[in-house]
Amino acid sequence: SSLSTWSGSINADLDFSLPILRSRARSLAANNEHGRRFLSLVAINVVGRQNPKLQVRAMQNAGRSKGQNVLDKAANDTIESHWEIWGKTADISGRHRSLYAFLRTAVRGVARDGEALIRIVRDRKLPYGIGLQLLESDRLDETLNSRLANGNTIRQGVEIDSALRAVAYHVRTAHPGENWRVTDNIVERVPASDMIHLFVPDRAEQVRGVTWFHAVILRGSIIHNFEEAAVTAAQIGASKIAALERADDVAQTTALMADGQASGTTQIKVEAGELFELPPGYRLSSWNPEYPHANFESFLKACLRGLASGLDVAAHNLTGDMTDVNYSSARIAELAEREVWMILQDWLISSFVMPIYEEWLALALLLGQITFDSGSALPAEKFDKFVRASSFQGRRWSWVDPLKEAEANASMLASQLTSRTRISAEQGLEFDDIMDELAAENEAIKTAGLITVTPPVKPLEPVPAKA
């Protein structure tokens, strides 16, 4: 009977708790080592060093007319290189020197605050005509709720139509927590076409994001308080406090304190290695606390496993404790966690990276800024061709035993169950680029008059035929 018997809408639940959840999550991320570690795991695994990586695989029209699939490599490489160049100036504030750094800050903000705001700025003066402005979620006025004359509804600062589609965002011109402002803090209506509201929805009609810490905020506080109490108890135990116990049949002795005043309690201050004599009628009663307790570590591990489970990561990755981890358990945990990261990579690509890329490509082609080394520009009418052939590859991971992974890939290739192109794409590389690099290396080796030494490859064992 103590369990909940009623549930409101997700937006009603967040009406007053959203800023509270956000502030507590920020405190957990700033003051707790495991909270900070989780944000690092999110940035490292969802984005990584230089991911998601653009891969353009458009075909040549001449090759198609002849029935051949010939990649338009010159145009593909040109688009990819210009995308990398634009990424270095994508942030109009200049705080992020690459698009990847911008994305790492954005996904950390989504994990910590539950959401992030990215404003799209279109201006001919900007490189390729477009730039990005990353704003904190506090800018979105969660106290603004009303019904508009055009039939739209403003819910927690998000203006939605009858289909629950976001049509505009009501954003403060300054951060509400700023203690010094140059101008007045007013609310500005920004069309949805100029703003990307980045969050992972948990329920169907949700208009605001919830911190990914929401399930572990209480547990994180409990673990912190428990560790603090255990440390205090251990400090007291290490001090070896003792008490003087007076016999019942002995009259109370009046002791003189250091300042010479009389006191009803006898006190003795003992230095290390000092021998002393107790007053008549007193005996020494020592107090030896149990902390640090033998069960402390096992209890703390159980709490940390619950913390890792609430954050959907492997416990050894969150805590760095590898004492109880073996190869089999690590493999199971890593595979399950990596599946979570790949799902989040797909979410980031579809919700933010691909829409921004399409905007960038359209504007860059219209402005004639995607040019070959010769100076000629790609025509704007080729937009559909290139955007359909574009995709982004998220970060992938090497296995604990790379030799076994290489042997497995070789076996799959021999069985014709995969391709070199697919294996390269899973590593965030393009097979065509690898071939070009190998050809350039071989040519350089021949020019230098060197002999190419091919390392021996272990032959694959033949698969026995079924009877």
Side-chain angles (χ1 to χ4, degrees):
S1 62
S2 62
L3 299 179
S4 178
T5 59
W6 182 85
S7 176
S9 73
I10 178 63
N11 301 320
D13 293 341
L14 296 177
D15 268 331
F16 300 102
S17 60
L18 189 62
I20 299 174
L21 283 171
R22 188 165 58 227
S23 63
R24 290 176 178 173
R26 287 175 177 175
S27 176
L28 183 64
N31 303 315
N32 183 279
E33 64 274 22
H34 300 112
R36 181 175 177 81
R37 171 61 178 166
F38 174 69
L39 294 186
S40 295
L41 289 175
V42 170
I44 291 169
N45 290 283
V46 177
V47 179
R49 291 182 61 245
Q50 293 183 335
N51 297 100
K53 202 72 173 178
L54 174 62
Q55 296 180 349
V56 186
R57 300 186 61 81
M59 299 296 177
Q60 292 182 5
N61 294 331
R64 286 183 176 181
S65 62
K66 298 177 182 179
Q68 300 174 350
N69 291 327
V70 181
L71 286 173
D72 193 351
K73 186 167 176 54
N76 296 341
D77 291 346
T78 298
I79 293 175
E80 292 174 1
S81 63
H82 279 274
W83 172 257
E84 293 291 330
I85 294 171
W86 173 75
K88 297 177 181 179
T89 59
D91 184 7
I92 63 173
S93 70
R95 293 186 180 90
H96 302 92
R97 296 301 181 179
S98 71
L99 181 61
Y100 309 111
F102 184 94
L103 290 174
R104 286 192 292 268
T105 302
V107 296
R108 276 197 298 263
V110 175
R112 182 187 61 244
D113 304 336
E115 53 191 351
L117 295 174
I118 300 102
R119 189 164 187 172
I120 304 172
V121 181
R122 301 175 184 86
D123 192 334
R124 285 181 173 271
K125 297 179 181 179
L126 294 173
Y128 300 90
I130 189 172
L132 303 175
Q133 183 184 21
L134 183 60
L135 304 174
E136 286 201 321
S137 57
D138 308 68
R139 293 282 196 109
L140 197 55
D141 191 358
E142 66 271 353
T143 64
L144 189 57
N145 299 277
S146 65
R147 175 80 68 178
L148 302 180
N150 59 4
N152 291 346
T153 302
I154 300 178
R155 200 71 177 90
Q156 297 171 1
V158 181
E159 185 177 335
I160 55 178
D161 59 16
S162 58
L164 304 182
R165 182 191 299 271
V167 296
Y169 298 92
H170 295 259
V171 182
R172 298 181 178 97
T173 55
H175 195 288
E178 184 63 66
N179 57 3
W180 188 80
R181 301 190 189 100
V182 177
T183 59
D184 294 334
N185 195 356
I186 60 176
V187 176
E188 177 187 5
R189 184 183 184 273
V190 181
S193 58
D194 295 339
M195 184 75 74
I196 292 181
H197 185 202
L198 200 60
F199 73 98
V200 179
D202 293 321
R203 292 173 60 178
E205 301 180 11
Q206 184 175 345
V207 298
R208 298 291 298 268
V210 183
T211 172
W212 297 0
F213 286 120
H214 69 89
V216 300
I217 290 176
L218 182 59
R219 184 181 288 272
S221 177
I222 291 173
I223 293 174
H224 174 75
N225 293 335
F226 172 72
E227 287 180 325
E228 198 172 55
V231 169
T232 302
Q235 289 174 339
I236 294 174
S239 301
K240 299 295 183 183
I241 299 175
L244 294 177
E245 186 175 349
R246 180 170 54 85
D248 295 336
D249 55 347
V250 178
Q252 182 175 353
T253 304
T254 301
L256 293 177
M257 304 298 288
D259 57 2
Q261 297 180 358
S263 173
T265 303
T266 301
Q267 297 183 9
I268 297 178
K269 185 177 181 181
V270 182
E271 300 292 338
E274 180 182 358
L275 298 177
F276 59 91
E277 181 181 1
L278 295 176
Y282 283 84
R283 61 176 178 269
L284 190 66
S285 176
S286 62
W287 178 45
N288 190 15
E290 295 182 354
Y291 265 84
H293 198 277
N295 295 329
F296 170 78
E297 185 177 359
S298 60
F299 178 77
L300 184 59
K301 279 187 176 181
C303 291
L304 292 176
R305 288 191 189 101
L307 191 70
S309 178
L311 296 173
D312 216 357
V313 296
H316 63 269
N317 285 335
L318 183 66
T319 63
D321 184 6
M322 306 292 291
T323 54
D324 298 330
V325 178
N326 55 39
Y327 182 84
S328 299
S329 62
R331 180 180 175 82
I332 294 172
E334 291 288 343
L335 288 176
E337 181 181 327
R338 289 177 182 181
E339 192 69 24
V340 174
W341 296 131
M342 287 189 287
I343 291 173
L344 290 174
Q345 289 173 4
D346 293 341
W347 157 78
L348 179 64
I349 292 171
S350 61
S351 300
F352 173 64
V353 181
M354 198 63 191
I356 288 297
Y357 169 72
E358 293 176 359
E359 286 269 355
W360 169 84
L361 183 60
L363 287 173
L365 289 175
L366 287 172
L367 294 174
Q369 295 189 7
I370 299 183
T371 57
F372 296 98
D373 293 338
S374 61
S376 60
L378 279 176
E381 59 267 19
K382 299 292 185 181
F383 169 78
D384 290 335
K385 167 188 172 180
F386 289 111
V387 78
R388 283 197 304 265
S390 300
S391 63
F392 284 88
Q393 176 64 49
R395 182 224 167 150
R396 293 298 180 262
W397 306 265
S398 299
W399 192 237
V400 179
D401 192 340
L403 179 60
K404 290 184 178 179
E405 185 179 7
E407 291 176 348
N409 288 334
S411 179
M412 294 280 284
L413 284 171
S415 304
Q416 297 184 359
L417 296 176
T418 189
S419 65
R420 293 174 175 84
T421 301
R422 180 166 297 185
I423 293 174
S424 302
E426 290 175 352
Q427 298 174 354
L429 305 172
E430 288 194 39
F431 182 61
D432 303 294
D433 294 338
I434 296 176
M435 288 195 299
D436 289 343
E437 290 176 6
L438 291 175
E441 287 181 358
N442 291 333
E443 187 64 30
I445 290 173
K446 290 179 182 179
T447 304
L450 301 176
I451 300 175
T452 304
V453 178
T454 304
V457 179
K458 180 181 177 181
L460 297 173
E461 296 181 2
V463 179
K466 294 183 179 180

